[in-house]
Amino acid sequence: MKKSLQVAQVSRPPSPGSDSDGNDQVDNQSIVIPGAGGDSKLNATANSFQEKELSWFVPSPMPKDLSVQVQGITFNVHKYPLVSKCGYIHRLELQPSILNSGYDVKLENFPGGSETFAFVLKFCYGLPVGFNSNNIAPLRCASEFLEMTEEFEAGNLITKTEAFLTFVVLSSWKDTITVLKSCETLSPWAENLQIVRRCCDSIAWKASREILTEDELIEEGWWFDDVATLHMDHFIKIIAAIRSKGTKPEIIGKCIMHYADRWLPGMDMELGGLRGYGHGKIELSFSVYSEKGGSGNSKEQKKIIESLVSLLPPQQEAVSCKFLFKMLKMAMLYSATPALISELEKRLGMMLEDANVNDLLVPSYKNAIQGKLLNSEQCTMHDIDVVQRILDYFLMQEQQQQQQKSRKCNISKILDNYLAEIATDPNLSITKFQVLAESLPENARPCHDGLYRAIDTYLKTHPSLSEHDRRRLCKIMNCEKLSFDACMHAAQNDRLPLRTIVQVLSSEQVKMRAVMQEKEPAPSGNISEQEGNQSDTEIKKLKTELEVVKMNMAELQNNYSELQREYEKLGNKQTNIFRWSFSWRKIKNSFHTRVDGKETGAGQQIPNRFRRRFSIS
């Protein structure tokens, strides 16, 4: 059943003081309808033009002679008011309806729909139409659709709506935002009539100007909230207009970050901050994806991500490193294009020194479209390859710009902390761990304590590693760059290979010898006899301490050689484990007895700094 709108059945006016039947009528109000035929007047009651269940009524004995269908609703109207003002209707070959069941004109894709067409009918019948920021854009597009130009009537709908839009709407920030929102459903009419462009230019001009008065300074970014409510296509145009006016990149970057926080809900969640492994954590990490509507909403989110990345200013200071990492995680979650992900990785390579461990923990999403992670046995919890590429971009940039060593030192601390974090993943292969750890050049790490902590964590998480793999892993570490605390911890670490422990002790011996040589007095006539005696005493103490260390080293090496010979002769695995443990305890007891004892065999006392035991958490 068709919906019907009975509209404005208006007849020529009867004689004054009588109705259509010749009866007296005193309460009617005369309305002049522009363009309806010179000075002719219609006796119609304006207040009786009302809406009742999709029907409009104006008392008139004249029968309707035109039906117009808009969005499935049929408007039964009079032909003359529309033809006199609408060029589109005027040009049509109108055919009478058959049995009053069809329609003469069907307006396909009418801008604003049936509601806007009802406003147009009001205007055509000379009834008052109130313009506001909500209906002005649809009415402007509808008047253009119906060709309501000055050729048919002076002050036609195109002229009136254009004047209201230019002089009223664009002078108000709030009204401009409202009109721009209403244009979202008026494409392409709003773009072709330059409504969107004019609104965007007006917003950009108001946002980019600096208003400074004696009493107050308008807060920077006061317009972020309003602009963040707009559709992405309009937001892109506004950012382009703001950038053309010379706005600072930092302001544009803040506006983009504000927009992302509103339209990408997952931005405020730490996707990488998962401390633990297993199916429970995997399901938790993908609950973020499912909460956003799953794959049904992924296309829209993907479009927003790609658009925002394309809008980012090229300046490094425009957005923070943390924001770029969040965008990277969201881009991987929604399977953005490889080119976009590569662009983010390059930008992050330029800002890597500003990152922290949480930023680097990128979840390993292998099938984000279906909202699933691969089985934990098939992949690691975190995407190591992404961090490897970002680090490669950083090193490439350092090599091209020949930056100072300080930046690499900062990166080494971040990387070592990251290695210690991912080392707790039981699925992380030793090859990936080793390649990532060896990515930095040798001189980038002034101290290897962080690397030692990461290696020790990996050995603790992977107790089944072979002796060969443990030696291979420990080769990454330079024992000469360990602090004294780290050396003492390594000397008592059962997880390290014996060869590595020997290297640690040997490097400590070399350090002590170097310290002793540095403290030898240089020949000078200005040194007093008292200072010379004090130096001699310190040298004698250091020599005594060095002799004790040599004795311990010799005994340790003998025990190690004996242990190797016994291990080669053993054929029974159970006996091998028993004797290995017994010999290893013998080595440790021998070392601890000589280092931790207060008195040496020669009657010399070892300083306190060699008696302390240290641990590295």
Coordinates of all heavy atoms in Angstrom, one line a residue, residues 274-331:
L274 N 51.2 -7.5 27.6 CA 50.8 -8.8 28.1 C 52.1 -9.5 28.7 O 53.0 -9.8 28.0 CB 50.2 -9.6 26.9 CG 49.0 -9.0 26.3 CD1 48.6 -9.9 25.1 CD2 47.9 -8.8 27.3
R275 N 52.0 -9.7 30.0 CA 53.1 -10.3 30.6 C 52.8 -11.8 30.9 O 52.2 -12.1 32.0 CB 53.5 -9.6 31.9 CG 53.9 -8.2 31.7 CD 55.2 -8.1 31.0 NE 55.8 -6.8 31.0 CZ 55.5 -5.8 30.2 NH1 54.7 -6.0 29.2 NH2 56.1 -4.7 30.4
G276 N 53.0 -12.7 30.0 CA 52.7 -14.1 30.2 C 52.3 -14.7 28.9 O 52.1 -14.1 27.9
Y277 N 52.3 -16.0 29.0 CA 52.1 -16.8 27.7 C 51.1 -17.9 27.9 O 50.8 -18.3 29.0 CB 53.4 -17.3 27.2 CG 54.4 -16.2 26.9 CD1 55.2 -15.7 28.0 CD2 54.4 -15.5 25.7 CE1 56.0 -14.6 27.7 CE2 55.3 -14.5 25.5 CZ 56.1 -14.0 26.5 OH 56.9 -12.9 26.3
G278 N 50.6 -18.4 26.8 CA 49.6 -19.5 26.9 C 48.3 -19.0 26.2 O 48.1 -17.9 25.8
H279 N 47.4 -20.0 26.1 CA 46.1 -19.7 25.4 C 45.3 -18.7 26.1 O 44.6 -17.9 25.5 CB 45.3 -21.0 25.3 CG 46.0 -22.1 24.4 ND1 46.1 -21.9 23.0 CD2 46.7 -23.2 24.7 CE1 46.8 -23.0 22.6 NE2 47.1 -23.8 23.6
G280 N 45.4 -18.6 27.4 CA 44.6 -17.6 28.1 C 45.0 -16.2 27.7 O 44.1 -15.3 27.5
K281 N 46.3 -15.9 27.6 CA 46.7 -14.6 27.2 C 46.4 -14.3 25.8 O 46.2 -13.2 25.4 CB 48.3 -14.5 27.5 CG 48.6 -14.5 28.9 CD 48.1 -13.2 29.6 CE 48.5 -13.1 31.1 NZ 48.0 -11.9 31.7
I282 N 46.5 -15.3 24.9 CA 46.2 -15.2 23.5 C 44.7 -14.7 23.4 O 44.4 -13.8 22.6 CB 46.5 -16.5 22.8 CG1 48.0 -16.7 22.7 CG2 45.9 -16.4 21.3 CD1 48.3 -18.1 22.2
E283 N 43.8 -15.4 24.1 CA 42.4 -15.1 24.0 C 42.2 -13.6 24.5 O 41.4 -12.9 24.0 CB 41.6 -16.1 24.8 CG 41.6 -17.5 24.2 CD 40.9 -18.5 25.1 OE1 40.4 -18.0 26.1 OE2 40.8 -19.6 24.7
L284 N 42.9 -13.2 25.6 CA 42.8 -11.9 26.1 C 43.2 -10.9 25.1 O 42.6 -9.8 24.9 CB 43.6 -11.8 27.4 CG 43.7 -10.4 28.0 CD1 42.3 -9.9 28.4 CD2 44.6 -10.4 29.2
S285 N 44.3 -11.1 24.4 CA 44.8 -10.1 23.4 C 43.8 -9.9 22.3 O 43.7 -8.8 21.8 CB 46.2 -10.6 22.9 OG 46.0 -11.8 22.2
F286 N 43.1 -11.0 21.9 CA 42.2 -10.8 20.8 C 40.8 -10.4 21.3 O 39.9 -10.1 20.4 CB 42.1 -12.1 20.0 CG 42.9 -12.1 18.8 CD1 44.1 -12.8 18.7 CD2 42.6 -11.3 17.7 CE1 44.9 -12.8 17.6 CE2 43.4 -11.2 16.6 CZ 44.5 -12.0 16.5
S287 N 40.5 -10.4 22.5 CA 39.3 -9.8 23.0 C 39.1 -8.4 22.6 O 38.0 -7.8 22.5 CB 39.2 -10.0 24.5 OG 40.1 -9.2 25.2
V288 N 40.3 -7.7 22.5 CA 40.3 -6.3 22.1 C 39.7 -6.2 20.7 O 38.8 -5.3 20.4 CB 41.7 -5.7 22.1 CG1 41.7 -4.3 21.5 CG2 42.3 -5.8 23.5
Y289 N 40.0 -7.1 19.8 CA 39.5 -7.1 18.5 C 38.0 -7.4 18.4 O 37.2 -6.7 17.7 CB 40.3 -8.1 17.6 CG 39.9 -8.2 16.2 CD1 40.4 -7.3 15.3 CD2 38.9 -9.1 15.7 CE1 40.0 -7.3 13.9 CE2 38.6 -9.1 14.4 CZ 39.1 -8.3 13.5 OH 38.7 -8.3 12.2
S290 N 37.6 -8.4 19.2 CA 36.2 -8.8 19.1 C 35.3 -7.7 19.7 O 34.1 -7.6 19.3 CB 36.0 -10.1 19.9 OG 36.4 -10.0 21.2
E291 N 35.8 -7.0 20.7 CA 35.0 -5.9 21.3 C 34.6 -4.8 20.4 O 33.7 -4.1 20.5 CB 35.7 -5.4 22.6 CG 35.6 -6.3 23.8 CD 36.5 -5.8 24.9 OE1 37.0 -4.7 24.8 OE2 36.6 -6.5 25.9
K292 N 35.5 -4.6 19.4 CA 35.2 -3.5 18.4 C 34.3 -3.9 17.3 O 34.2 -3.2 16.3 CB 36.6 -3.0 17.9 CG 37.5 -2.4 18.9 CD 38.6 -1.7 18.3 CE 39.6 -2.7 17.7 NZ 40.3 -3.5 18.7
G293 N 33.7 -5.1 17.4 CA 32.7 -5.4 16.3 C 33.2 -6.5 15.4 O 32.5 -6.8 14.5
G294 N 34.4 -7.0 15.6 CA 34.9 -8.0 14.7 C 35.1 -7.6 13.3 O 35.4 -6.4 13.0
S295 N 35.0 -8.5 12.4 CA 35.4 -8.2 11.0 C 34.4 -7.2 10.3 O 34.7 -6.6 9.4 CB 35.5 -9.5 10.2 OG 34.2 -10.2 10.2
G296 N 33.1 -7.2 10.9 CA 32.1 -6.3 10.3 C 32.5 -4.8 10.4 O 32.2 -4.0 9.5
N297 N 33.2 -4.5 11.4 CA 33.7 -3.1 11.6 C 35.1 -2.8 11.2 O 35.6 -1.7 11.3 CB 33.5 -2.7 13.1 CG 33.5 -1.2 13.3 OD1 33.0 -0.5 12.5 ND2 34.0 -0.8 14.4
S298 N 35.8 -3.9 10.8 CA 37.2 -3.8 10.5 C 37.5 -2.9 9.3 O 38.5 -2.2 9.2 CB 37.8 -5.2 10.3 OG 37.2 -5.8 9.2
K299 N 36.6 -2.9 8.3 CA 36.9 -2.1 7.1 C 36.9 -0.7 7.4 O 37.7 0.1 6.9 CB 35.9 -2.5 6.0 CG 36.0 -3.9 5.4 CD 35.0 -4.1 4.3 CE 35.2 -5.5 3.7 NZ 34.2 -5.8 2.6
E300 N 35.9 -0.3 8.2 CA 35.8 1.2 8.6 C 37.0 1.6 9.4 O 37.6 2.6 9.2 CB 34.5 1.4 9.3 CG 34.4 2.9 9.8 CD 33.1 3.1 10.6 OE1 32.3 2.1 10.7 OE2 32.9 4.2 11.1
Q301 N 37.4 0.7 10.4 CA 38.6 1.0 11.2 C 39.9 1.1 10.4 O 40.7 1.9 10.6 CB 38.7 0.0 12.3 CG 37.5 -0.1 13.2 CD 37.4 1.1 14.1 OE1 38.4 1.5 14.7 NE2 36.2 1.7 14.2
K302 N 40.0 0.1 9.4 CA 41.2 0.1 8.6 C 41.3 1.4 7.7 O 42.3 2.0 7.6 CB 41.1 -1.1 7.7 CG 42.2 -1.2 6.7 CD 42.0 -2.5 5.8 CE 43.1 -2.5 4.7 NZ 42.9 -3.7 3.8
K303 N 40.1 1.9 7.2 CA 40.1 3.1 6.4 C 40.5 4.3 7.3 O 41.3 5.1 6.8 CB 38.7 3.3 5.9 CG 38.6 4.6 5.0 CD 37.2 4.8 4.5 CE 37.1 6.2 3.8 NZ 35.7 6.4 3.3
I304 N 40.1 4.4 8.5 CA 40.4 5.5 9.4 C 41.9 5.4 9.7 O 42.6 6.5 9.7 CB 39.6 5.4 10.7 CG1 38.2 5.6 10.4 CG2 40.2 6.4 11.7 CD1 37.3 5.5 11.6
I305 N 42.5 4.2 10.0 CA 43.9 4.1 10.3 C 44.7 4.6 9.1 O 45.7 5.4 9.2 CB 44.2 2.7 10.7 CG1 43.6 2.3 12.0 CG2 45.7 2.5 10.8 CD1 43.6 0.8 12.3
E306 N 44.4 4.1 7.9 CA 45.2 4.4 6.7 C 45.1 5.9 6.4 O 46.1 6.6 6.0 CB 44.7 3.6 5.5 CG 45.0 2.1 5.7 CD 44.5 1.3 4.5 OE1 43.7 1.8 3.7 OE2 44.8 0.1 4.4
S307 N 43.9 6.5 6.6 CA 43.7 7.9 6.4 C 44.5 8.8 7.4 O 45.2 9.8 7.0 CB 42.2 8.3 6.4 OG 41.5 7.6 5.5
L308 N 44.5 8.4 8.6 CA 45.2 9.2 9.6 C 46.7 9.1 9.4 O 47.4 10.1 9.6 CB 44.9 8.7 11.0 CG 43.5 8.9 11.5 CD1 43.3 8.4 12.9 CD2 43.2 10.4 11.5
V309 N 47.2 8.0 9.0 CA 48.7 7.8 8.8 C 49.1 8.7 7.6 O 50.1 9.3 7.6 CB 49.1 6.4 8.5 CG1 50.5 6.2 8.1 CG2 48.8 5.5 9.8
S310 N 48.2 8.8 6.6 CA 48.5 9.6 5.4 C 48.5 11.1 5.7 O 49.1 11.9 5.0 CB 47.6 9.3 4.3 OG 46.2 9.7 4.6
L311 N 47.8 11.5 6.8 CA 47.7 12.9 7.2 C 48.9 13.3 8.1 O 49.0 14.5 8.3 CB 46.4 13.1 7.9 CG 45.1 13.1 7.1 CD1 43.9 13.3 8.0 CD2 45.1 14.2 6.0
L312 N 49.6 12.4 8.6 CA 50.7 12.7 9.6 C 51.7 13.7 8.9 O 52.2 13.4 7.8 CB 51.4 11.5 10.1 CG 50.6 10.6 11.0 CD1 51.4 9.3 11.3 CD2 50.1 11.3 12.3
P313 N 52.0 14.8 9.6 CA 53.1 15.7 9.1 C 54.4 14.9 9.1 O 54.7 14.1 9.9 CB 53.1 16.8 10.1 CG 51.8 16.8 10.8 CD 51.4 15.3 10.8
P314 N 55.3 15.3 8.1 CA 56.5 14.6 8.0 C 57.5 14.9 9.1 O 58.5 14.1 9.3 CB 57.1 15.0 6.6 CG 56.4 16.4 6.4 CD 55.1 16.3 7.0
Q315 N 57.3 16.0 9.8 CA 58.2 16.4 10.9 C 58.2 15.4 12.0 O 57.2 14.9 12.4 CB 57.9 17.8 11.4 CG 58.1 18.9 10.5 CD 57.0 19.1 9.4 OE1 56.1 18.3 9.5 NE2 57.2 20.0 8.6
Q316 N 59.4 15.1 12.5 CA 59.5 14.0 13.6 C 58.8 14.4 14.9 O 58.3 13.6 15.6 CB 61.0 13.8 13.8 CG 61.3 12.7 14.8 CD 62.8 12.4 14.9 OE1 63.5 12.6 14.0 NE2 63.2 11.8 16.0
E317 N 58.8 15.7 15.2 CA 58.2 16.2 16.4 C 56.7 16.3 16.4 O 56.1 16.7 17.4 CB 58.8 17.5 16.8 CG 58.5 18.7 15.9 CD 59.3 18.8 14.7 OE1 60.2 17.9 14.5 OE2 59.2 19.8 13.9
A318 N 56.1 16.0 15.3 CA 54.6 16.2 15.1 C 53.8 15.3 16.0 O 52.8 15.7 16.7 CB 54.2 16.0 13.7
V319 N 54.2 14.0 16.1 CA 53.5 13.1 17.0 C 54.5 12.3 17.8 O 55.7 12.3 17.5 CB 52.6 12.1 16.2 CG1 51.5 12.8 15.5 CG2 53.5 11.4 15.1
S320 N 54.0 11.7 18.9 CA 54.9 11.0 19.8 C 55.2 9.6 19.3 O 54.5 9.1 18.5 CB 54.2 10.9 21.2 OG 53.1 10.2 21.1
C321 N 56.3 9.1 19.8 CA 56.7 7.7 19.5 C 55.7 6.7 20.0 O 55.3 5.7 19.3 CB 58.1 7.4 20.1 SG 58.7 5.8 19.7
K322 N 55.1 6.9 21.1 CA 54.1 6.0 21.7 C 52.9 6.0 20.8 O 52.3 4.9 20.6 CB 53.7 6.5 23.1 CG 52.7 5.6 23.8 CD 52.4 6.1 25.2 CE 53.6 5.8 26.1 NZ 53.8 4.4 26.3
F323 N 52.4 7.1 20.3 CA 51.3 7.2 19.4 C 51.6 6.4 18.1 O 50.7 5.6 17.6 CB 50.9 8.6 19.0 CG 49.9 8.7 18.0 CD1 48.5 8.5 18.3 CD2 50.2 9.1 16.7 CE1 47.5 8.6 17.3 CE2 49.2 9.2 15.7 CZ 47.9 9.0 16.0
L324 N 52.8 6.5 17.5 CA 53.1 5.8 16.3 C 53.1 4.3 16.6 O 52.6 3.5 15.7 CB 54.4 6.2 15.8 CG 54.5 7.6 15.2 CD1 55.9 7.9 14.7 CD2 53.6 7.7 14.0
F325 N 53.6 3.8 17.7 CA 53.5 2.4 18.1 C 52.1 1.9 18.2 O 51.8 0.8 17.8 CB 54.3 2.1 19.3 CG 55.8 1.7 19.1 CD1 56.8 2.6 19.4 CD2 56.1 0.5 18.5 CE1 58.1 2.3 19.1 CE2 57.4 0.1 18.3 CZ 58.4 1.0 18.6
K326 N 51.2 2.7 18.8 CA 49.8 2.3 18.9 C 49.2 2.2 17.5 O 48.4 1.3 17.3 CB 49.1 3.4 19.7 CG 49.4 3.3 21.2 CD 48.6 4.3 22.0 CE 48.9 4.3 23.5 NZ 48.1 5.2 24.3
M327 N 49.5 3.2 16.6 CA 49.0 3.1 15.3 C 49.5 1.9 14.6 O 48.8 1.2 13.8 CB 49.4 4.4 14.5 CG 48.6 5.6 15.0 SD 46.9 5.5 14.7 CE 46.8 5.5 12.9
L328 N 50.8 1.5 14.8 CA 51.3 0.3 14.2 C 50.6 -0.9 14.7 O 50.3 -1.8 13.9 CB 52.8 0.2 14.5 CG 53.5 -1.0 14.0 CD1 53.5 -1.1 12.5 CD2 55.0 -1.1 14.5
K329 N 50.4 -1.0 16.0 CA 49.7 -2.2 16.5 C 48.2 -2.3 15.9 O 47.8 -3.4 15.6 CB 49.6 -2.1 18.0 CG 51.0 -2.2 18.7 CD 50.9 -2.0 20.2 CE 52.3 -2.0 20.8 NZ 52.3 -1.7 22.2
M330 N 47.6 -1.1 15.8 CA 46.2 -1.1 15.3 C 46.2 -1.5 13.8 O 45.4 -2.2 13.3 CB 45.6 0.2 15.5 CG 45.3 0.6 16.9 SD 44.1 -0.4 17.7 CE 42.6 0.1 16.9
A331 N 47.2 -1.0 13.1 CA 47.4 -1.3 11.6 C 47.6 -2.8 11.4 O 47.0 -3.4 10.5 CB 48.5 -0.5 11.0

